[in-house]
């Protein structure tokens, strides 16, 4: 059985970032990356639907160590994929990847102080071992998306497509298309398909906040022309981080004013005669769900051009020619795209055991947004809901290397978050989006105090993960077999702090 110091699961944005940070900050540690798919990129390799792009700017979605140098800040999927692959090749991270390895289980042995990871490769089980396991596999199920059980679907004579499984060479030119949904995927697909389709209808049960933003960052492009690439990138990155934090806090503090401003910007785009109240005025406050970004107002332009439209109604049933609505109206369709969301999945549904006992991570508390109570030598990367994923992933990777280096300095082989006092259980994410609320019972809880809180704040996480102590409710140990306290133990025995 091959053994390395660290196994990283997943070769998407997070996994490639993990490889870099391990090489940079813990260069004496060996590592491998196990990737279930046949190529690098994760989300950006999987999704192939028309118009696929980032829904946040690449100066914050990009890596802190590798500047994004393209003109467009809101980048398309192929360019993002090329950036991730280019980064992996530049730093030799791609040489550590083993493709076609779908991780199914991980078993911790206290006696050996190691994980045994079981993966499926070409239908057969293979095993690897490591001292530390770093899950960078994203947060949703790659094998299936979320599609409601619509009545009459079997009667529909056209095609029904989920964006997660877009068919190659789909011909939608001159056809009537209905896109069901109002989230980021829907507002991306609609204007792109509207360029060739006869007409595209975005059918939504309820509206989402939609904000237009220039695809190019003029300040970033100007800085890049005047300054060295890394300096220009760093300044732009912090500019966008601080603006995003300011906007989020202002929206949460003054929701009525934020709502009025966002809806006012939509009205500026579509004009006073458009029914903004019905189609673009959500019932919830800004940032109770993620805002949808529209680069260069492309969705609004297609609506004004008449190539797309928005219908706010509920589906009664499908029939052979399209969709009948609860209002009594109907929409004819040749193609229906179900942009109805993702199926969230915790750590790829890997089955974890500790010394032969199964561990249900939904029963644990999350530690600093990245580890789990009473789970030794295990971390995961989970990004922000209100900002770019990679901002948190970078900080998480840095913290993992701090733990690894501290363990080596103290000559400790096990590090385990331990709850030292009573905690009030709270949802892992405070977000009202359907794809989140459907899955929260399968996720760990967060607590009502540090270090068991999940921050959606980059500045707070910098203080906690980059500069905060590695010893707060964390046990560094060299336990003998069977000596580990069980789940839920309140006893914390710490080694003397020497690093």
């Amino acid at each position: 059985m091959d053994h390395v110091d660290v196994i990283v699961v997943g070769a998407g944005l997070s996994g490639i970032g993990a490889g870099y940070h391990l090489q940079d900050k813990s260069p004496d540690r060996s590592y491998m990356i196990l990737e279930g798919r046949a190529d690098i990129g994760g989300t950006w390799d999987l999704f192939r639907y028309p118009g696929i792009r980032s829904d946040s700017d690449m100066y914050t979605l990009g890596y802190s160590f590798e500047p994004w140098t393209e003109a467009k800040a809101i980048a398309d999927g192929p360019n993002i994929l090329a950036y991730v692959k280019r980064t992996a090749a530049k730093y030799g991270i791609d040489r550590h990847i083993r493709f076609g390895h779908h991780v199914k289980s991980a078993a911790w042995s206290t006696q050996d102080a190691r994980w045994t990871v079981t993966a499926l490769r070409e239908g057969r089980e293979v095993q690897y071992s490591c001292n530390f396991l770093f899950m960078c596999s994203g947060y949703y199920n790659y094998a299936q998306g979320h599609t409601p059980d619509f009545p009459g679907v079997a009667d529909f004579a056209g095609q029904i497509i989920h964006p997660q499984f877009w068919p190659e060479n789909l011909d939608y030119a001159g056809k009537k298309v209905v896109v069901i949904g109002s989230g980021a995927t829907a507002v991306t697909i609609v204007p792109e398909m509207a360029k060739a389709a006869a007409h595209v209808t975005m059918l939504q049960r309820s509206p989402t906040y939609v904000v237009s933003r220039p695809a190019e960052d003029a300040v970033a492009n100007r800085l890049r022309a005047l300054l060295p690439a890394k300096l220009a990138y760093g300044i732009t990155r912090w500019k966008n981080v601080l603006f995003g934090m300011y906007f989020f806090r202002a929206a949460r503090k003054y929701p009525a004013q934020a709502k009025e401003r966002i809806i006012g910007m939509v009205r500026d785009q579509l004009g006073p005669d458009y029914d903004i109240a019905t189609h673009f005025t959500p019932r919830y406050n800004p940032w109770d769900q993620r805002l949808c970004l529209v680069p260069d107002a492309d969705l609004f332009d297609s609506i004004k051009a008449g190539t797309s439209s928005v219908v706010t109604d509920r589906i009664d049933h499908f029939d052979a020619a399209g969709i009948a609505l609860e209002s009594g109206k109907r929409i004819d369709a040749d193609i229906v795209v179900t942009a109805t969301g993702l199926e969230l999945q915790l750590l790829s549904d890997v089955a974890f055991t500790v010394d032969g006992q199964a561990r249900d991570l939904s029963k644990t508390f999350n530690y600093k947004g990245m580890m789990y109570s009473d789970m030794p030598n295990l971390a995961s990367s989970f990004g922000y809901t209100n900002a770019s994923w990679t901002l948190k992933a970078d900080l998480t990777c840095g913290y993992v290397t701090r733990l690894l280096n501290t363990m080596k300095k103290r000559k400790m082989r096990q590090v385990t978050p331990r709850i030292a006092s009573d905690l009030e259980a709270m949802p892992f994410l405070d977000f009202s989006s359907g794809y989140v609320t459907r899955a929260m019972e399968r996720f760990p809880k967060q607590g009502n105090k540090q270090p068991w809180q999940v921050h959606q704040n980059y500045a707070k996480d910098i203080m906690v993960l980059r500069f905060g102590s590695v010893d707060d409710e964390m046990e560094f140990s060299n336990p003998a077999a069977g000596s580990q306290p069980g789940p839920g133990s309140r006893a914390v025995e710490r080694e003397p702090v020497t690093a």
Side-chain angles (χ1 to χ4, degrees), residues 162-423:
H162 193 285
Q164 195 165 319
F165 309 103
W166 201 267
E168 282 191 57
N169 304 316
L170 175 69
D171 181 14
Y172 54 87
K175 295 184 178 180
K176 298 185 291 291
V177 179
V178 175
V179 178
I180 303 173
S182 59
T185 302
V187 302
T188 298
I189 289 174
V190 168
E192 185 65 24
M193 293 190 77
K195 295 175 181 178
H199 188 81
V200 181
T201 302
M202 188 170 86
L203 173 58
Q204 59 181 15
R205 185 172 55 184
S206 59
T208 299
Y209 288 105
V210 180
V211 178
S212 178
R213 180 175 175 178
E216 294 192 11
D217 186 325
V219 173
N221 291 342
R222 180 64 176 161
L223 286 174
R224 195 164 55 249
L226 297 173
L227 300 172
K230 282 202 170 183
L231 178 59
Y233 181 69
I235 293 172
T236 304
R237 186 177 175 88
W238 269 108
K239 170 184 74 73
N240 292 356
V241 165
L242 293 173
F243 176 78
M245 289 172 56
Y246 168 79
F247 180 70
F248 176 77
R249 292 187 63 182
R252 283 297 180 104
K253 189 174 182 179
Y254 305 107
Q257 292 92 322
K259 182 172 187 174
E260 182 180 359
R261 175 60 180 147
I262 294 170
I263 294 169
M265 290 191 292
V266 176
R267 186 173 289 108
D268 290 342
Q269 291 287 342
L270 296 178
D273 297 330
Y274 191 87
D275 190 357
I276 303 293
T278 298
H279 303 308
F280 286 98
T281 305
R283 294 187 294 266
Y284 56 88
N285 287 327
W287 281 118
D288 285 352
Q289 298 182 21
R290 192 175 176 98
L291 274 61
C292 289
L293 182 63
V294 175
D296 293 332
D298 59 359
L299 174 65
F300 303 130
D301 288 344
S302 72
I303 293 172
K304 288 185 289 187
T307 56
S308 74
S309 59
V310 180
V311 172
T312 305
D313 207 330
R314 288 177 175 268
I315 294 172
D316 185 78
H317 65 275
F318 278 63
D319 57 29
I323 301 173
L325 306 175
E326 288 186 357
S327 65
K329 298 178 181 177
R330 58 167 294 104
I331 309 173
D332 289 338
D334 301 305
I335 298 172
V336 173
V337 179
T338 54
T340 45
L342 307 169
E343 287 286 352
L344 293 201
Q345 191 178 51
L346 179 63
L347 308 190
S348 295
D349 279 348
V350 169
F352 292 94
T353 58
V354 174
D355 294 329
Q357 296 183 346
R359 290 291 177 88
D360 181 355
L361 295 191
S362 72
K363 307 299 183 186
T364 68
F365 278 84
N366 194 266
Y367 178 87
K368 297 187 178 181
M370 54 167 288
M371 297 181 77
Y372 304 85
S373 57
D374 300 310
M375 292 297 293
N377 293 27
L378 173 69
S380 64
S381 179
F382 198 99
Y384 294 119
T385 58
N386 64 349
S388 292
W389 179 275
T390 319
L391 290 173
K392 180 64 177 284
D394 267 340
L395 292 176
T396 299
C397 292
Y399 194 85
V400 166
T401 61
R402 289 183 67 199
L403 286 178
L404 293 172
N405 294 343
T406 302
M407 291 168 72
K408 181 180 180 181
K409 186 171 184 178
R410 299 181 186 178
K411 299 181 180 179
M412 294 290 148
R413 61 181 186 171
Q414 181 170 311
V415 59
T416 315
R418 301 290 193 196
I419 299 172
S421 60
D422 290 335
L423 288 176

Side-chain angles (χ1 to χ4, degrees), residues 24 45 135 137 309 313 352 387:
D24 183 57
D45 179 59
M135 300 294 297
S137 52
S309 59
D313 207 330
F352 292 94

